[in-house]
Amino acid sequence: MQTVNQPTQNNDEAPRERVRIFDTTLRDGEQAPGYSMTRAQKRRIAQALAELGVDIIEAGFAQASDDDFAAVQAIAGDLRGPTVCALARCQFGDIEAAARALEPAHHARIHVFIATSPLHREHKLGMSKAQVIDNAVAGVRRARELCGDVEFSAEDALRTEPEFLAEVLSAVIAAGASTLNVPDTVGYTTPAEMAERIAYLRRHVQGIERAVLSVHCHNDLGMAVANSLAAVGAGARQVECTLTGIGERAGNAALEEVVMALKTRSELYRVDTGIATQRLYPTARLLTNLLGMHLPRNKAVVGENAFAHEAGIHQHGMLKHRGTYEIMRPEDVGFARSQLVLGKHSGRHALRERLATLGHEPDEAQLDELFTRFKTLADKKREVFDNDLEALALGRDPDALGPWRIVQLHTSSHVGGMASATVKLTHEDGRQASEASIGDGPVHAVLRTIERATGHALEIGDFQIRSLSVGGDAQGQATLSVEHEGREVRGKGVSTDIVEAAALAALEVVNRIERLSAPTRRAANQS
């Protein structure tokens, strides 16, 4: 007897259906504390997602802010292959803002939502069932007037009465929605319940044959991926997910895990995706490096230990046959069979080729700069590893280049734990600033010196240092966050000297603050 949370096993001759991958890294993923992105970072990740083969990219919530609107608009203009989607509440202002932001898109989708569960109806919306349906239908109709592709989400669907949920979804199909999303908004459900709910909706929603059923699962109980797979097994044909599972609270279903589960267990699910799985690892690394986030080594599919074997019995089995302890090939997700080591004798061609395999394709001018920095690093280190190359490629964020730059930096430690630092900075307007400070250690001293030189007090909320490769001469990455006028500003720096890395991270924060303040200063000067 087949359990409700297992996919139907079809014969080998049965045609495979397509499961659409809807990525919301740039919308739901960015909502997680500490993961806010600049417009340039969003555009870079969106391009990487397009190259990965994602079907739909949710670029943001256009009505949330001017910057979100601009990011959605820029991404809509950048991409040609995937559908670009913008989120909107079932409110005309939201929907019209989404439509305006999506105007440059070759393929556009407006994604409208309203909560449907009793808890949300009573305590958040203050609406009756009839009012929820009326608002949902009005929102879908307005979106359909402005865009040919409309998705509807019933927020907190898994805690909604099944009969009422079917009633709402039937109504929005009649109003013009072509994708119906069933979110587990708070990560509450289980795989068996999810499969049962999807099966129920397929039986009871009127017009369901004209729409695609979708799921959006959160990970509060650690079951987001399992719930998403259960939905696919029951007939859902779109999965909403994020790279590495980032998102609100405990996050979302991880794109790479969902995709590789469907591929690895294809005999069960009998579905395909359009994902170029060999790009999963480099795309995940691009995201984590841009955000300055740490990816656990044991992270499924894309963690550093995902294909590492240390136990003697495992190593013995691997030497006999890889299949003894590997259910996926590392090459299938973008890991190299062996790590390429470059050194000071390596040339531009080798550098370009290796950067390309890591997901970076610099133009000639950028390659010239990278090659110079690579040679400088190679003179300091015996070996330059993949992580070092990624650090070189990502070590300078164009949004944070200036106006301040470090000209000289010197630190020294003293008996008793005290340390001193001197720094000389130059500003793009021609100013120079030289300062010296003491602190409890060299990092503390250099941060105080940069504060004095730039005139910005840095109230640091989080500070982390991690190694980007192996060995005593490995590059280190310093990441720090500062609270500035009610928003978090993050900076990172990369160097073989962790004190220098901390100084670069602090200066990146200062530069971001100055760039954020520049429009306000210009407006004040013009008034």
Side-chain angles (χ1 to χ4, degrees):
M1 181 176 177
Q2 182 178 322
T3 58
V4 294
N5 64 329
Q6 290 295 316
T8 302
Q9 294 193 31
N10 299 319
N11 60 52
D12 289 339
E13 289 72 33
R16 290 176 179 269
E17 293 185 69
R18 171 76 170 262
V19 171
R20 300 176 185 176
I21 299 299
F22 177 115
D23 182 272
T24 184
T25 301
L26 302 178
R27 200 277 300 171
D28 200 342
E30 194 205 17
Q31 292 177 191
Y35 291 161
S36 60
M37 306 176 204
T38 66
R39 193 183 314 169
Q41 288 173 330
K42 286 187 176 183
R43 294 175 74 173
R44 188 166 183 183
I45 293 170
Q47 186 61 51
L49 290 169
E51 294 168 359
L52 181 62
V54 165
D55 297 287
I56 303 102
I57 297 175
E58 190 164 58
F61 192 166
Q63 184 75 339
S65 68
D66 291 344
D67 194 56
D68 264 26
F69 181 96
V72 173
Q73 189 175 53
I75 292 167
D78 288 342
L79 303 183
R80 295 294 178 266
T83 295
V84 179
C85 176
L87 185 69
R89 294 166 295 186
C90 283
Q91 298 179 10
F92 284 9
D94 281 22
I95 295 166
E96 289 157 8
R100 290 195 303 274
L102 291 170
E103 284 177 0
H106 281 228
H107 309 285
R109 172 181 294 185
I110 296 178
H111 180 189
V112 298
F113 74 95
I114 193 170
T116 56
S117 69
L119 195 63
H120 282 241
R121 293 196 308 263
E122 178 181 354
H123 296 287
K124 188 176 82 170
L125 300 178
M127 290 184 182
S128 65
K129 288 182 177 180
Q131 288 173 316
V132 167
I133 292 178
D134 288 346
N135 277 268
V137 168
V140 169
R141 284 180 176 162
R142 181 57 181 147
R144 190 66 180 79
E145 291 170 354
L146 300 172
C147 183
D149 185 353
V150 175
E151 175 173 342
F152 172 80
S153 280
E155 186 183 7
D156 207 22
L158 271 298
R159 294 194 295 175
T160 299
E161 307 93 318
E163 300 83 1
F164 179 59
L165 182 60
E167 184 180 358
V168 174
L169 297 184
S170 299
V172 297
I173 288 178
S178 53
T179 302
L180 307 178
N181 187 38
V182 182
D184 183 18
T185 303
V186 291
Y188 181 73
T189 199
T190 67
E193 291 172 325
M194 173 62 82
E196 187 176 303
R197 182 61 56 90
I198 295 298
Y200 176 90
L201 295 174
R202 292 182 68 193
R203 293 194 305 269
H204 292 90
V205 173
Q206 297 177 21
I208 191 65
E209 68 280 356
R210 303 197 304 271
V212 174
L213 265 177
S214 172
V215 287
H216 177 122
C217 298
H218 278 264
N219 205 40
D220 297 71
L221 292 176
M223 292 187 284
V225 171
N227 287 332
S228 300
L229 295 172
V232 171
R237 288 299 177 259
Q238 177 177 287
V239 174
E240 306 195 0
C241 43
T242 63
L243 282 171
T244 72
I246 66 171
E248 289 187 280
R249 303 183 313 279
N252 291 267
L255 182 154
E256 65 280 357
E257 296 178 26
V258 171
V259 168
M260 289 311 295
L262 294 176
K263 180 174 181 175
T264 304
R265 301 307 309 274
S266 61
E267 80 285 358
L268 288 180
Y269 294 99
R270 304 295 303 172
V271 295
D272 289 322
T273 70
I275 297 297
T277 61
Q278 297 84 356
R279 298 201 61 81
L280 286 170
Y281 175 67
T283 307
R285 290 300 301 269
L286 175 66
L287 174 72
T288 57
N289 278 285
L290 284 175
L291 295 183
M293 60 184 277
H294 174 64
L295 193 63
R297 295 185 68 88
N298 66 332
K299 171 72 177 66
V301 181
V302 295
E304 291 295 333
N305 286 357
F307 298 95
H309 307 272
E310 184 171 340
I313 190 171
H314 288 200
Q315 292 175 344
H316 178 74
M318 285 291 295
L319 289 171
K320 296 290 186 181
H321 192 285
R322 288 174 63 173
T324 54
Y325 288 101
E326 283 187 356
I327 61 171
M328 300 172 280
R329 298 192 313 158
E331 303 95 314
D332 289 344
V333 300
F335 280 92
R337 280 180 176 267
S338 58
Q339 191 171 45
L340 175 65
V341 178
L342 298 178
K344 63 181 180 180
H345 300 296
S346 302
R348 285 168 53 89
H349 180 71
L351 178 62
R352 183 197 291 275
E353 289 298 312
R354 192 57 193 152
L355 286 170
T357 66
L358 295 171
H360 303 282
E361 297 183 359
D363 58 30
E364 287 301 320
Q366 291 169 332
L367 184 63
D368 286 342
E369 182 190 358
L370 284 172
F371 188 65
T372 300
R373 293 164 59 203
F374 162 72
K375 284 292 190 179
T376 300
L377 179 63
D379 284 336
K380 296 180 181 179
K381 292 172 58 73
R382 294 184 302 274
E383 298 172 330
V384 180
F385 296 93
D386 286 354
N387 287 344
D388 294 313
L389 297 180
E390 283 189 320
L392 286 176
L394 297 167
R396 292 187 177 180
D397 181 351
D399 280 353
L401 282 179
W404 289 104
R405 296 176 186 271
I406 295 177
V407 178
Q408 293 178 355
L409 173 65
H410 175 74
T411 62
S412 60
S413 299
H414 306 282
V415 176
M418 297 297 291
S420 63
T422 59
V423 66
K424 181 178 180 181
L425 306 179
T426 183
H427 195 276
E428 64 184 14
D429 64 10
R431 284 181 289 152
Q432 289 192 341
S434 298
E435 286 290 347
S437 292
I438 59 172
D440 294 332
V443 170
H444 183 218
V446 80
L447 294 180
R448 292 186 64 184
T449 306
I450 288 175
E451 285 182 317
R452 295 181 61 178
T454 61
H456 291 280
L458 304 179
E459 296 186 12
I460 297 174
D462 183 51
F463 178 74
Q464 298 180 9
I465 292 178
R466 68 184 183 96
S467 175
L468 292 178
S469 56
V470 297
D473 54 1
Q475 289 196 101
Q477 176 175 283
T479 305
L480 58 85
S481 63
V482 171
E483 185 76 17
H484 174 71
E485 295 182 352
R487 65 182 295 176
E488 184 184 51
V489 182
R490 296 173 68 89
K492 69 175 183 295
V494 175
S495 173
T496 53
D497 182 336
I498 61 170
V499 178
E500 182 182 5
L504 292 170
L507 200 62
E508 183 169 301
V509 168
V510 169
N511 286 333
R512 289 188 189 280
I513 290 172
E514 294 220 356
R515 288 180 178 275
L516 289 170
S517 304
T520 304
R521 290 198 304 269
R522 284 196 297 268
N525 292 335
Q526 292 169 359
S527 61

